[in-house]
Amino acid sequence: MKFGKVILYVADVEASLAFYQQAFGLKTRFIPEAGYGEVHAGDTTISVASFSAGQGHLPEGYRCTPPPPSDVSVEIALVSDAVDDDFARAVDAGATPLQQPAAQPWGQTVSYLRTPDGTVIDLSSPPAWG
């Protein structure tokens, strides 16, 4: 068993893909007729799909509502060798800063952002133990 990908349901797939490319330089692939796209992030994929695509996958148990700014339903961790620079670029691309980059006692620099579609990003340096 291995982790394949995560799918984020969003209001605007193209805008979400553009954000990940602009903010983090991640390559994207978009399938307009499917309301679906992918961001290639190292060994895994972050997928984004429209709320209507999500409804098609889970018609009985899916509510198409983006979370209010105070609600968090998922957090994605991205690892960077240049957290300060990448944090600033993400904010310039439209992310909301939640916690500025800060060195932690265990050796990582850790920061948090909220993407324009509401996803929380843990943007950190590589862990010292990994």
Side-chain angles (χ1 to χ4, degrees):
M1 179 77 65
K2 70 176 187 173
F3 181 76
K5 64 183 172 186
V6 63
I7 300 175
L8 306 173
Y9 295 115
V10 300
D12 187 333
V13 173
E14 276 189 272
S16 292
L17 293 172
F19 168 79
Y20 282 99
Q21 177 127 13
Q22 183 181 0
F24 304 114
L26 300 175
K27 290 190 171 198
T28 64
R29 181 175 71 134
F30 179 50
I31 306 169
E33 62 276 5
Y36 175 85
E38 297 178 338
V39 176
H40 301 282
D43 291 336
T44 193
T45 300
I46 301 168
S47 300
V48 293
S50 65
F51 287 133
S52 61
Q55 192 66 43
H57 297 161
L58 306 165
E60 297 300 318
Y62 180 74
R63 278 190 332 179
C64 298
T65 57
S70 61
D71 291 348
V72 176
S73 61
V74 68
E75 177 181 312
I76 295 175
L78 296 177
V79 178
S80 167
D81 290 323
V83 174
D84 290 318
D85 293 340
D86 290 335
F87 185 92
R89 190 171 68 227
V91 171
D92 287 346
T96 302
L98 301 176
Q99 178 183 313
Q100 296 290 324
Q104 301 300 316
W106 56 87
Q108 272 186 297
T109 298
V110 175
S111 67
Y112 292 90
L113 303 147
R114 185 183 297 277
T115 67
D117 62 41
T119 303
V120 173
I121 302 286
D122 167 352
L123 178 61
S124 302
S125 61
W129 59 86

